[in-house]
Amino acid sequence: MECISVFDMLKIGVGPSSSHTLGPWRAAENFLAELRDQDIIDSINRVKVDLYGSLSLTGKGHATDLAIMLGLSGADPEYVPVESIDVIISAIKNKKEIFLGNEIIIPFCFEKDIVFNRNFLPFHANGLTFTAFTDSGEYSTTFYSIGGGFVVKEEEDKSSETIKCAFPFPIEKATELLEFCASENKKISEIVYENEKSMRSEEEIHNELLRIWDTMLECMYIGCHTEGILPGGLNVRRRAYDMHKNLIGVLPYDNPYSWLQNIRQTEVKFRQILKWVSCFALAVNEVNASLGRVVTAPTNGSAGVIPAVLMYYLVIENHNAGEKEIKQFLMVAGEIGSIFKKGATISAAMGGCQAEIGVSSAMAAAALCELMGGTPEQVQMAAEIAMEHHLGLTCDPIGGLVQIPCIERNTMGAIKAINAAELALETDAKNAKVPLDKVINTMWETAKDMNSKYKETSEGGLAVGVGLADC
């Protein structure tokens, strides 16, 4: 059984895509680590990268090539200053060389040394092969970006079944989570906390969860205060800025936390609530679309849903909420996401957008439901309702960019999550007809039946119905 931490499901990185940007970036870092293990990095005179399947078909729009260059340069997506990204990329392109792992300068022509192959590798839709050349031979290795920034090699994935989970409460299915909650008389967040304590100190858990929230809050803040056109050629105008300007009023603030306090003082009629939640989600994914720093939740393309719903709770539902509730929310969300990953997929290249927005909506619905007083059974019911109404959702980004329909889709996922939580809270969970495990299995079966052109290839749906020329 696989141990998946909250911090595996909620990662800090750079947009626009967890599977097509963050994953390849991490794969490049892993490749560098292998070169160091082989003790050949100093003798390399050329590096070539082959992209396959979905990584090739939508890689340009998802900045896959840029992420690989950044990864090969030794930059870390979690900590690299986002303002330095253009500088690093421009230097590589202009000089036609790369400072490999910050250790050795070698020739590198990104037009020739990153190859887009349309064919798919059999193991996963997102495959990429790195080849390093030396005077005495070459070294080649293949990675797969399986969604949410997770990267594996085929042999590692096959052997994962033999790895024993060290959690005190190992969970693969939703039913197992409920059994632990019942036997231990704990909430879902409390079970998750016990598992996390087997890997980290309480202080580390506290600090990392709040660092994740700080990144989410800062992302919303930046998105709400940045206007202009998103990069990529679709000429998509940022909307969070104008929407926020109309909502916030004239109250003064100078940082994300005073901003949050001011939002608590704004009007809270139904229409304003809808607008605020949508504004938060739009803001995150506009930052994501412009290579900004976001939290994969569980992916970059769906990064706006969870922060928007948590912000909704903080500024609308409970003005007294603080660090305790934030940590509780993130732990529940992470656990629900991990169950989806184990039982299905969080990769749009494998499952369509139901695997991204659907899963993020289920994560957010469950987390909100617990904060609102829901039982573990109601929490799982909220997740099930949210996913049930995303089943079959396709991934068909226009121009291969994480913009249309991706950005708006986060607002839909957030609103559905809130609705799902409220429905679950008003329902006796004993009367639920569809268990969470069943909807996860159904999502996976739907994913396998879905035509590949609706799985992040930009070969169907809106991606062909609306062209760049229309934009």
Side-chain angles (χ1 to χ4, degrees):
M1 185 182 294
E2 187 180 6
C3 281
I4 299 179
S5 165
V6 170
F7 305 108
D8 293 321
M9 297 305 303
L10 304 174
K11 302 187 189 76
I12 298 172
V14 172
S17 170
S18 53
S19 60
H20 287 57
T21 315
L22 182 58
W25 195 327
R26 291 299 188 196
E29 291 180 316
N30 292 350
F31 172 58
L32 289 177
E34 290 188 10
L35 295 180
R36 294 186 181 104
D37 289 341
Q38 296 289 326
D39 198 26
I40 60 173
I41 194 166
D42 290 336
S43 59
I44 292 169
N45 52 46
R46 184 193 170 206
V47 167
K48 187 181 85 157
V49 186
D50 285 279
L51 306 178
Y52 297 95
S54 179
L55 285 183
S56 173
L57 293 168
T58 62
K60 288 287 186 183
H62 289 71
T64 304
D65 48 350
L66 307 186
I68 287 169
M69 288 188 277
L70 290 161
L72 291 175
S73 299
D76 188 302
E78 193 167 344
Y79 297 102
V80 63
V82 291
E83 62 272 13
S84 71
I85 288 176
D86 284 342
V87 176
I88 297 171
I89 295 299
S90 296
I92 295 171
K93 289 182 176 181
N94 294 334
K95 295 180 180 179
K96 296 190 183 302
E97 61 184 26
I98 194 166
F99 195 12
L100 189 65
N102 279 317
E103 294 185 36
I104 180 173
I105 296 175
I106 63 171
F108 189 87
C109 179
F110 80 99
E111 297 101 332
K112 295 180 181 179
D113 292 330
I114 300 179
V115 182
F116 291 79
N117 303 282
R118 296 181 65 86
N119 56 303
F120 286 70
L121 298 180
F123 179 70
H124 192 278
N126 292 332
L128 66 166
T129 298
F130 294 84
T131 305
F133 299 89
T134 68
D135 291 337
S136 58
E138 61 184 62
Y139 175 82
S140 185
T141 184
T142 298
F143 297 94
Y144 298 90
S145 179
I146 61 173
F150 290 89
V151 177
V152 301
K153 302 183 77 170
E154 185 171 357
E155 60 269 24
E156 293 171 346
D157 188 82
K158 287 180 177 178
S159 64
S160 64
E161 294 180 4
T162 63
I163 300 173
K164 297 285 187 181
C165 184
F167 284 166
F169 303 110
I171 297 158
E172 189 161 359
K173 295 184 178 295
T175 49
E176 295 169 346
L177 176 57
L178 286 182
E179 288 168 4
F180 285 130
C181 288
S183 64
E184 301 296 318
N185 192 27
K186 291 181 182 295
K187 298 176 182 178
I188 288 175
S189 59
E190 293 171 334
I191 292 292
V192 177
Y193 189 49
E194 292 302 314
N195 280 343
E196 291 297 330
K197 285 196 294 183
S198 71
M199 302 173 67
R200 297 172 178 84
S201 69
E202 293 186 14
E203 183 181 11
E204 287 176 314
I205 296 168
H206 171 85
N207 291 339
E208 282 303 296
L209 285 172
L210 293 185
R211 189 165 75 96
I212 287 169
W213 168 243
D214 285 343
T215 304
M216 289 179 171
L217 180 60
E218 183 179 36
C219 187
M220 287 185 280
Y221 185 82
I222 291 171
C224 284
H225 296 85
T226 306
E227 58 181 330
I229 304 296
L230 293 174
L234 290 180
N235 295 317
V236 174
R237 178 176 173 80
R238 292 175 180 259
R239 281 183 286 177
Y241 178 88
D242 291 329
M243 187 177 288
H244 173 262
K245 188 176 180 180
N246 291 331
L247 288 167
I248 193 62
V250 295
L251 296 170
Y253 57 88
D254 56 8
N255 63 65
Y257 281 92
S258 60
W259 174 63
L260 186 155
Q261 293 295 337
N262 276 357
I263 296 172
R264 285 174 166 169
Q265 301 177 52
T266 60
E267 193 173 32
V268 290
K269 291 180 180 177
F270 181 68
R271 287 185 65 196
Q272 277 67 38
I273 294 171
L274 281 176
K275 289 176 183 178
W276 269 122
V277 175
S278 297
C279 182
F280 299 144
L282 287 173
V284 171
N285 286 84
E286 288 172 354
V287 170
N288 179 63
S290 54
L291 274 78
R293 180 159 283 116
V294 299
V295 176
T296 65
T299 67
N300 285 29
S302 61
V305 176
I306 286 171
V309 175
L310 178 49
M311 190 71 160
Y312 158 80
Y313 179 79
L314 295 173
V315 301
I316 303 295
E317 285 296 333
N318 185 358
H319 288 189
N320 296 317
E323 292 181 354
K324 174 181 174 291
E325 290 79 10
I326 290 167
K327 293 188 293 182
Q328 185 179 351
F329 187 101
L330 295 176
M331 285 190 287
V332 175
E335 182 60 36
I336 296 300
S338 75
I339 296 173
F340 272 97
K341 183 182 182 300
K342 293 168 188 171
T345 181
I346 57 171
S347 166
M350 293 296 287
C353 202
Q354 61 175 355
E356 295 202 21
I357 294 296
V359 173
S360 65
S361 186
M363 293 166 68
L368 179 63
C369 187
E370 182 173 298
L371 287 187
M372 302 277 276
T375 65
E377 292 80 8
Q378 288 174 317
V379 169
Q380 289 201 7
M381 188 178 188
E384 184 282 321
I385 293 171
M387 172 50 75
E388 184 178 324
H389 300 289
H390 281 94
L391 288 174
L393 188 62
T394 60
C395 180
D396 48 358
I398 298 174
L401 296 162
V402 191
Q403 296 182 18
I404 305 173
C406 320
I407 296 174
E408 278 184 0
R409 208 166 261 178
N410 278 263
T411 72
M412 301 294 114
I415 296 299
K416 282 186 181 181
I418 296 169
N419 195 18
E422 292 293 350
L423 285 172
L425 288 166
E426 294 298 322
T427 304
D428 186 340
K430 294 177 182 177
N431 297 323
K433 301 298 183 184
V434 184
L436 180 55
D437 285 327
K438 290 288 187 182
V439 86
I440 292 173
N441 182 65
T442 301
M443 191 267 269
W444 182 228
E445 292 301 319
T446 303
K448 290 187 285 187
D449 289 340
M450 189 180 290
N451 191 299
S452 64
K453 68 184 181 181
Y454 297 117
K455 296 180 182 179
E456 206 167 2
T457 59
S458 288
E459 294 184 321
L462 285 174
V464 297
V466 181
L468 288 172
D470 298 306
C471 299

